[in-house]
Amino acid sequence: MLRTEMPYSRARAGLRRLLPAMAAATLCWGVAAQGAGAQTLTVWDDNALPSQAKVITDINAKFEADHPGVKIARTARTFDDLSMTLKLTLSTGEGPVVTKANQGAQEMGAMVKQKLLLPIDAYIKQYGWDKKQSDSVLARDRWSDKGEFGVGPTYGISALGELVGLYYNAKVLKDAGIDKPPASLDELAKDVETLKAKGAVPFTIGLTKGHMALHMYAALSQAMIGAADRKGLDDLVYGRGGSWNTPGNLAAAKQIQDWANGGAFNDGYQGIADDDAVQLFVGGQGAFQVTGTWRLGDMQTNPDIHFMALPPAAGVKDPLVVGGVEIAWTITALAKDKKTQDLAGDYINYLLSDDAASAWAAAGYLPVAALEHPDKVQIPPLLGETIKVWNGVNAANALGHYPDWASPTMLKTLSDGLTQVIAKQETPEAFIGVVDKDYQGYMASLKK
């Protein structure tokens, strides 16, 4: 869910100065004529970490080479920046033709309601994307005309898989006398106490930017749910109703508050951004970090760092693991004509190609579909560990959810509330009450 911003050239302004008035007018649709058969396709994405930016830049260059006359005008944004600007920009008739969009109610659901995105089912059929990705994965990009999540037309598709899990530094653990990673949440809690007693930092986290606290909360709460008992969470996230006031959600909030106020987090974590926390962890400061597989490119630079799913609560079989897929590639309503729509579909098809997946895998990132020729790609060891986790989670039907998908305001409600819980300005019980109030209000609005 999180990305770090890295500025890229905004090609559109320069194109307006160079193109005739009529061509400039078409630019607001995201495609501009450059001569006979030439097109510029505007694209927004959140692949802004340096390791990610290199991969997507190379993929775009290869697409341009295979499509003479086509130019990709790319803008990279952070996850938060993309969320704040995308819907507003599109609603003014400006913005990208192809863009990444968060699947939840706050972004994709709202944009579908405003008819700012186009269904892509025709391209799924044309290119056979449903042969590469399961229906349960594609359902995360479906919205009905009634605002129902998980059903109806498909509005996006992802190229990378995502998991929020537990990165651990084996050397830091060994130096503290811990020979193996924890096999349960109880063991994790014991390891935290052991690390504290040895003067080591149990968790490295940063709160000023990004959503590390939310990821820790979601991972903890879903590690208390077995795959066979997932219906309650599925119903909540897909807008079918229920309550967030569950023992697991309350226990997760209490655990984070206890760890934060019991010395389990690095010094100064309140003033550190998520990017800085990752770099501290990669540098050997801390035994554990809870974050997503979009950080694999950073993590693999330290061979002592490994990846695993957060261990389960006692008695839980096949615990849910937060994640599933990255935010989705979509085609916006600025693609006014069939030619533009087909170019956008062709571009997304290239993003889903085995060549693109191999490029991501070679860089240490997790493709959503299995590689067609894995023997031809040198897969980094950390990614190899992650693929095993990914395969096991999928086989057990244990892919969980990002809880912020559940309502248009849930991301802010969860993030603000967890900040207050960590600072002991709000009790875990009050936090869960506010979260459930947000959700019930959204459910009531759907019935109007």
Side-chain angles (χ1 to χ4, degrees):
M1 289 177 61
L2 307 183
R3 307 292 184 266
T4 302
E5 188 166 16
M6 182 177 181
Y8 271 80
S9 170
R10 270 56 166 176
R12 296 175 60 203
L15 284 168
R16 280 198 178 100
R17 292 192 295 268
L18 294 174
L19 295 174
M22 183 176 294
T26 68
L27 192 57
C28 69
W29 296 358
V31 175
Q34 293 178 313
Q39 288 180 290
T40 293
L41 184 68
T42 56
V43 176
W44 287 11
D45 66 54
D46 62 337
N47 300 127
L49 292 170
S51 54
Q52 297 170 331
K54 183 181 185 307
V55 176
I56 195 67
T57 299
D58 290 346
I59 288 173
N60 286 347
K62 290 179 180 178
F63 180 82
E64 290 174 341
D66 289 343
H67 297 74
V70 173
K71 174 68 177 177
I72 303 298
R74 173 180 178 255
T75 297
R77 298 182 181 275
T78 66
F79 171 83
D80 285 332
D81 185 32
L82 190 63
S83 296
M84 287 188 294
T85 59
L86 179 60
K87 183 170 62 173
L88 179 61
T89 304
L90 290 175
S91 66
T92 67
E94 295 287 332
V97 159
V98 175
T99 184
K100 300 284 284 294
N102 196 13
Q103 289 92 333
Q106 74 273 26
E107 191 161 320
M108 185 179 286
M111 288 192 291
V112 168
K113 186 176 182 179
Q114 296 178 33
K115 301 188 183 305
L116 297 175
L117 300 179
L118 300 180
I120 62 168
D121 297 274
Y123 297 113
I124 291 175
K125 182 178 181 180
Q126 176 182 340
Y127 292 111
W129 297 339
D130 54 342
K131 304 297 190 298
K132 294 184 176 183
Q133 300 187 21
S134 69
D135 191 70
S136 63
V137 169
L138 292 174
R140 297 170 185 240
D141 296 290
R142 290 180 181 143
W143 286 89
S144 76
D145 293 338
K146 298 178 180 178
E148 300 164 309
F149 189 18
V151 297
T154 313
Y155 287 91
I157 192 165
S158 302
L160 296 178
E162 280 188 355
L163 297 172
V164 173
L166 186 68
Y167 291 92
Y168 65 93
N169 188 313
K171 182 178 184 303
V172 174
L173 291 179
K174 184 176 181 180
D175 289 345
I178 301 171
D179 295 328
K180 62 181 185 303
S184 68
L185 286 182
D186 287 341
E187 284 189 22
L188 176 61
K190 290 178 182 177
D191 288 346
V192 167
E193 296 306 312
T194 299
L195 289 159
K196 286 164 54 179
K198 295 289 186 178
V201 175
F203 289 102
T204 307
I205 191 171
L207 300 186
T208 64
K209 183 180 178 183
H211 302 279
M212 279 190 160
L214 173 55
H215 290 151
M216 179 178 280
Y217 163 77
L220 282 168
S221 62
Q222 293 182 37
M224 302 178 196
I225 304 171
D229 302 312
R230 63 175 298 149
K231 184 179 184 301
L233 180 64
D234 288 342
D235 286 348
L236 285 168
V237 173
Y238 285 123
R240 297 191 285 260
S243 173
W244 288 92
N245 191 1
T246 67
N249 284 335
L250 181 60
K254 286 182 176 179
Q255 182 65 85
I256 290 176
Q257 188 177 71
D258 290 345
W259 278 341
N261 292 277
F265 295 170
N266 49 294
D267 290 341
Y269 66 90
Q270 302 95 329
I272 295 175
D274 58 336
D275 296 334
D276 297 325
V278 169
Q279 293 309 312
L280 288 173
F281 183 69
V282 170
Q285 298 186 45
F288 300 115
Q289 187 164 82
V290 179
T291 188
T293 52
W294 54 86
R295 294 292 186 177
L296 285 167
D298 294 305
M299 299 293 187
Q300 67 183 356
T301 61
N302 185 336
D304 294 320
I305 293 176
H306 302 270
F307 181 83
M308 60 181 284
L310 207 74
V316 173
K317 181 182 179 183
D318 298 324
L320 300 187
V321 179
V322 178
V325 288
E326 64 170 345
I327 64 175
W329 290 100
T330 66
I331 301 175
T332 76
L334 299 184
K336 302 286 187 179
D337 55 80
K338 187 69 163 54
K339 180 180 179 182
T340 303
Q341 294 165 14
D342 286 348
L343 177 61
D346 193 15
Y347 175 66
I348 293 176
N349 185 54
Y350 193 78
L351 295 171
L352 299 174
S353 69
D354 191 62
D355 285 346
S358 296
W360 282 115
Y365 291 94
L366 178 65
V368 69
L371 298 178
E372 294 176 13
H373 306 287
D375 55 313
K376 296 183 179 180
V377 181
Q378 186 173 351
I379 296 177
L382 185 59
L383 177 59
E385 295 176 5
T386 307
I387 289 173
K388 290 181 181 179
V389 176
W390 173 259
N391 290 342
V393 169
N394 277 279
N397 189 33
L399 274 178
H401 296 285
Y402 293 110
D404 58 276
W405 288 359
S407 88
T409 52
M410 190 61 78
L411 179 61
K412 179 174 173 56
T413 298
L414 286 166
S415 298
D416 290 352
L418 285 167
T419 298
Q420 293 179 318
V421 167
I422 287 171
K424 299 193 79 172
Q425 296 172 349
E426 187 168 72
T427 66
E429 291 83 1
F431 162 68
I432 296 299
V434 170
V435 171
D436 197 53
K437 182 179 179 180
D438 177 307
Y439 183 74
Q440 301 306 335
Y442 176 58
M443 288 293 97
S445 73
L446 295 178
K447 298 176 182 178
K448 293 180 180 178

